Amino acid sequence: MGHFAVQLAKWKGARVIGTASQRNYDFLRELGADEVIDYTTTRFEDVVHDVDVVLDTMAGDVQKRSWKVLKKGGIMVSVLTPPSPQEAAKYGARDGYVFVQPNAEQLAEIANLV
């Protein structure tokens, strides 16, 4: 999921920060990530701040820690577990949840990009 998200975000002009182990650094850079954080040595919330959007593909503790990197008015979007509206309010952020449903037109557009 994440490797598609990086490419689609770059296609839309976003600055992308991703996490990966050292062995996947180059792969994430090739996909278009502007910055890569080694999650085995660095807690992303210690070095990332004031981002507009967090795309949560992990849920659990990673989602909870991700609230700290959002700027006021930013949004946490999860593809696994709906983010807590209470946590969003606590951080002055918004929450969103994406439940994917097949859409032929969107899939065709993604296929063209690939």
Side-chain angles (χ1 to χ4, degrees):
M1 174 71 192
H3 62 283
F4 289 117
V6 169
Q7 294 173 82
L8 292 171
K10 289 305 293 182
W11 175 58
K12 286 297 189 178
R15 179 174 184 274
V16 176
I17 303 169
T19 57
S21 63
Q22 184 67 43
R23 73 183 185 119
N24 288 316
Y25 256 52
D26 291 338
F27 176 65
L28 205 51
R29 289 271 190 198
E30 287 172 17
L31 293 176
D34 297 292
E35 184 177 343
V36 181
I37 299 164
D38 183 348
Y39 66 79
T40 66
T41 62
T42 306
R43 291 178 67 89
F44 63 84
E45 70 272 26
D46 291 340
V47 295
V48 177
H49 306 283
D50 298 318
V51 300
D52 296 305
V53 179
V54 168
L55 177 61
D56 170 43
T57 62
M58 299 298 291
D61 182 58
V62 172
Q63 185 183 87
K64 290 177 187 171
R65 292 169 36 216
S66 294
W67 289 108
K68 298 173 186 172
V69 307
L70 283 169
K71 71 178 185 180
K72 296 272 189 237
I75 187 168
M76 163 99 62
V77 179
S78 180
V79 298
L80 297 174
T81 305
S84 163
Q86 294 80 15
E87 286 293 302
K90 176 180 167 184
Y91 287 96
R94 297 171 291 140
D95 60 289
Y97 176 63
V98 176
F99 181 76
V100 179
Q101 295 182 16
N103 178 303
E105 184 178 318
Q106 290 173 343
L107 290 173
E109 185 173 355
I110 290 170
N112 284 334
L113 290 171
V114 172

